[in-house]
Amino acid sequence: MQKIFIIEDDPKIAEHLQSYINKYGYESFIVADFDRVMEDFQKCKPDLVLLDINLPSYDGYYWCRQIRKQSICPVIFISARVGEMDQVMALENGGDDFITKPFHPEIVLAKIRSQLRRAYGEYAAQAQERVLEIEGLKLFPERLELSYKKDNITLSKKEAELIECLIDRYPRVAGREDLLEKLWDEQVYVDENTLNVNITRVRKKMESVGLKGAVETVRGAGYRLTISWLKAEDR
């Protein structure tokens, strides 16, 4: 059963959408806390998001950008804003479609079905999912997941890209400049500390699935993946 995540601050609209969507065989969830949207998103792991623009604290554009750091699932904006620039902003910030309020639920359902077909169904690319594996460690780049034995953890987009680079380069060193260029090539200047912070996050994520000491710092050069977990098992 495919999951739809509804990010809408009007309870009546959110419940109306949920009721209609559920009637047609989908499983839908309404955001519980607008200060913890991404926590709810990670718990739900939706196949598609319905997203309003005018929201408490941060607008829908902001939340769409946060979703895009972790997922490529379809995002459909639903908003009372009718200006062309609002629709342009929605698409520029990572949205896939735009529906104006007031809406007909049949239109919403048709667009949901269309986006799901494009992403996962008959219109989706039929390429096999990529899995990078090395000595029991598995990285699923499209899912943004890392697993080792029975442990599994969700990654951010940057964390997944860093781990992919380290696996691709193994047993060679992944240079700092190469990593910065590959991961942040859209930015003119990136603080050197940005890479350090992300490497620290990668180390913590890998440790959480039992891979302690898996990322080695090579002074003056960069970072290297070390198969430390096998050495630990041999002791």
Side-chain angles (χ1 to χ4, degrees):
M1 185 179 292
Q2 291 173 305
K3 299 178 183 177
I4 313 297
F5 187 42
I6 302 168
I7 308 176
E8 165 64 63
D9 65 334
D10 186 321
K12 290 184 178 179
I13 294 176
E15 289 167 10
H16 177 54
L17 284 167
Q18 183 177 48
S19 176
Y20 194 82
I21 290 167
N22 289 355
K23 186 168 69 173
Y24 285 90
Y26 299 103
E27 187 177 7
S28 61
F29 301 84
I30 299 172
V31 65
D33 186 345
F34 286 96
D35 290 323
R36 296 178 175 273
V37 171
M38 293 311 298
E39 285 89 336
D40 284 354
F41 177 86
Q42 290 166 357
K43 290 177 185 176
C44 175
K45 295 186 183 299
D47 299 290
L48 181 143
V49 176
L50 297 177
L51 177 61
D52 192 10
I53 295 176
N54 295 324
L55 297 169
S57 301
Y58 299 97
D59 63 22
Y61 302 138
Y62 170 83
W63 289 119
C64 192
R65 292 195 300 273
Q66 303 315 301
I67 289 169
R68 283 291 169 257
K69 291 179 181 178
Q70 300 188 16
S71 173
I72 57 173
C73 76
V75 176
I76 301 176
F77 278 86
I78 300 183
S79 176
R81 297 190 185 185
V82 296
E84 290 182 0
M85 188 51 65
D86 295 309
Q87 298 190 39
V88 170
M89 287 284 290
L91 298 175
E92 289 290 335
N93 281 278
D96 297 283
D97 207 339
F98 193 100
I99 300 172
T100 56
K101 296 177 183 176
F103 54 81
H104 292 287
E106 295 86 357
I107 297 295
V108 176
L109 186 65
K111 286 183 176 284
I112 287 173
R113 285 173 169 165
S114 174
Q115 290 297 332
L116 290 174
R117 282 198 303 268
R118 288 178 183 276
Y120 315 108
E122 59 193 280
Y123 302 145
Q126 297 302 308
Q128 188 175 0
E129 179 183 20
R130 287 194 305 133
V131 182
L132 282 73
E133 184 173 3
I134 182 168
E135 299 295 350
L137 168 68
K138 292 182 180 180
L139 173 68
F140 302 87
E142 283 83 10
R143 285 192 230 168
L144 300 179
E145 289 182 1
L146 182 74
S147 71
Y148 179 63
K149 293 185 176 179
K150 294 182 180 180
D151 293 317
N152 191 298
I153 193 165
T154 301
L155 305 168
S156 71
K157 191 170 184 294
K158 293 298 184 192
E159 290 165 354
E161 288 174 341
L162 273 171
I163 294 172
E164 182 173 354
C165 288
L166 291 168
I167 292 175
D168 284 343
R169 294 290 295 175
Y170 178 82
R172 296 166 294 165
V173 175
R176 294 181 66 88
E177 293 301 322
D178 293 335
L179 291 172
L180 286 167
E181 183 178 349
K182 182 174 177 61
L183 274 66
W184 289 278
D185 60 351
E186 74 277 6
Q187 299 183 27
V188 177
Y189 173 76
V190 178
D191 191 317
E192 184 82 359
N193 191 51
T194 302
L195 180 58
N196 298 338
V197 169
N198 280 272
I199 287 289
T200 298
R201 290 174 180 164
V202 163
R203 282 178 169 142
K204 288 180 179 178
K205 288 288 180 76
M206 296 183 86
E207 287 175 7
S208 71
V209 293
L211 305 176
K212 190 173 182 180
V215 181
E216 175 190 0
T217 300
V218 181
R219 290 189 177 277
Y223 301 94
R224 177 169 51 210
L225 184 68
T226 302
I227 314 300
S228 57
W229 56 94
L230 292 186
K231 297 175 183 176
E233 290 177 357
D234 289 339
R235 292 173 186 171

